[in-house]
Amino acid sequence: MVGLFFRRPLPSLLRVGILAVLSLALTFYSTTHPQSRSIGLFLASPVLAADQALVRLWGEGQDYLRSRDQLMRENARLRAELLQAQQELVKLPLIRSENRQLLALLDSFPVPPGRVTVAGVVAQDLSPSNQSIIIDLGNRQGIRVGQPVLAPGGVVGQVVAVSTWNARVALLSDLDSSLPVRPEHSNTPLLLDGTGNLRELRVPFQARDTDLKPGTLLVTSGLGGRFPAGLPVGRITAVERPTDAAFAVVRVRPLAQLGQLNTVLLLWPGTRTSEP
């Protein structure tokens, strides 16, 4: 390649020599003329300024990236805390409802009717043909078929099926339910049958001239050995005596809210209550 000041390319060794002579000359000149250093610094100042600007920009960029990374981590932490708080907020009404149920249970049974265990209701089937609930205890916790189940107000039913972690409880209102009861202040044995209606039970096979009256409290009689005597069950709401039927129609309203169960008590076999 042809040089800028020479028509023909110079030999490499000659070019190195010329550059060496120029370097020595500049060195000698800068030594004998101190003002040349100021000129050099002046000429180099744009390069130094650019270098300082690059260093500053690099530092600011690193600070920005660090700040952005910290903000992202902080944002992720806050999102996780918000999600947990939302989950807790969703659970709060359920916890309050369960607490109300437990307080109502304590009010209903100030003196425990025996050894009891608290269970939560995890599912329910309230169709007219099959009225039952599923609780969160099973045979791992010792639950057995036939155990009485109580709720605020009184008896709600009994355990009819058990799996490892859950159990099915047939409600009093189930069409297949039949519970031995008696009037609170009498030893007259009665049966209380389910009707498929959560708010109404029936006492069957009562003569038209029965002495049962509205307002009478019915409690468990203890017959059959599954339910201890004296547990409140329901209250008679009407006694109808149709002229075209051989038996009276005795309507009973369960004391427990069968369709609004969140927490129940399981009474253990062999438990007995004192007679009123």
Side-chain angles (χ1 to χ4, degrees):
M1 181 178 180
V2 180
L4 294 176
F5 303 102
F6 302 96
R7 294 180 178 274
R8 294 180 181 179
L10 296 175
S12 299
L13 184 59
L14 180 60
R15 283 183 287 177
V16 171
I18 292 173
L19 292 174
V21 171
L22 289 175
S23 177
L24 291 173
L26 288 173
T27 301
F28 177 78
Y29 181 80
S30 62
T31 301
T32 57
H33 299 79
Q35 68 273 14
S36 63
R37 296 183 179 181
S38 300
I39 297 173
L41 290 174
F42 174 77
L43 295 176
S45 59
V47 177
L48 295 175
D51 180 69
Q52 293 175 354
L54 287 175
V55 171
R56 186 177 65 256
L57 289 175
W58 179 261
E60 292 177 354
Q62 287 183 325
D63 293 339
Y64 170 77
L65 291 176
R66 281 195 295 267
S67 300
R68 183 173 181 273
D69 185 58
Q70 291 175 353
L71 287 174
M72 290 180 67
R73 289 198 300 269
E74 182 72 10
N75 183 266
R77 184 181 64 81
L78 292 175
R79 285 179 179 273
E81 292 179 357
L82 178 61
L83 180 60
Q84 183 177 1
Q86 289 175 337
Q87 292 174 348
E88 295 297 328
L89 189 62
V90 170
K91 294 178 182 178
L92 186 59
L94 179 59
I95 294 174
R96 287 178 176 173
S97 177
E98 290 178 350
N99 288 340
R100 287 195 295 268
Q101 289 271 343
L102 289 173
L103 290 174
L105 280 170
L106 294 176
D107 292 339
S108 299
F109 305 100
V111 177
R115 181 191 169 199
V116 295
T117 298
V118 178
V121 177
V122 296
Q124 60 183 7
D125 181 359
L126 303 180
S127 60
S129 60
N130 181 22
Q131 297 192 337
S132 61
I133 58 174
I134 304 297
I135 59 175
D136 58 1
L137 299 179
N139 56 29
R140 281 294 186 99
Q141 292 78 30
I143 305 304
R144 297 292 181 265
V145 171
Q147 277 189 255
V149 181
L150 315 177
V155 177
V156 299
Q158 63 179 311
V159 176
V160 294
V162 182
S163 63
T164 303
W165 300 108
N166 299 102
R168 179 180 292 273
V169 177
L171 300 178
L172 293 175
S173 56
D174 186 78
L175 288 173
D176 293 330
S177 174
S178 185
L179 179 66
V181 297
R182 62 173 177 79
E184 182 182 19
H185 301 297
S186 171
N187 289 323
T188 304
L190 304 171
L191 284 178
L192 190 61
D193 292 346
T195 63
N197 184 340
L198 292 168
R199 297 184 177 183
E200 184 177 299
L201 310 174
R202 297 281 181 90
V203 178
F205 312 122
Q206 294 300 301
R208 295 179 64 251
D209 61 350
T210 179
D211 58 356
L212 294 176
K213 298 178 181 180
T216 301
L217 176 65
L218 300 181
V219 299
T220 54
S221 65
L223 296 177
R226 285 193 172 182
F227 286 79
L231 296 177
V233 181
R235 192 175 297 276
I236 296 176
T237 58
V239 179
E240 301 172 2
R241 298 176 172 84
T243 57
D244 58 346
F247 299 104
V249 178
V250 182
R251 303 180 187 275
V252 179
R253 186 181 184 89
L255 295 179
Q257 300 293 324
L258 301 182
Q260 302 176 17
L261 300 174
N262 291 324
T263 306
V264 295
L265 287 180
L266 282 91
L267 187 61
W268 290 89
T271 304
R272 292 290 183 269
T273 59
S274 59
E275 292 293 333

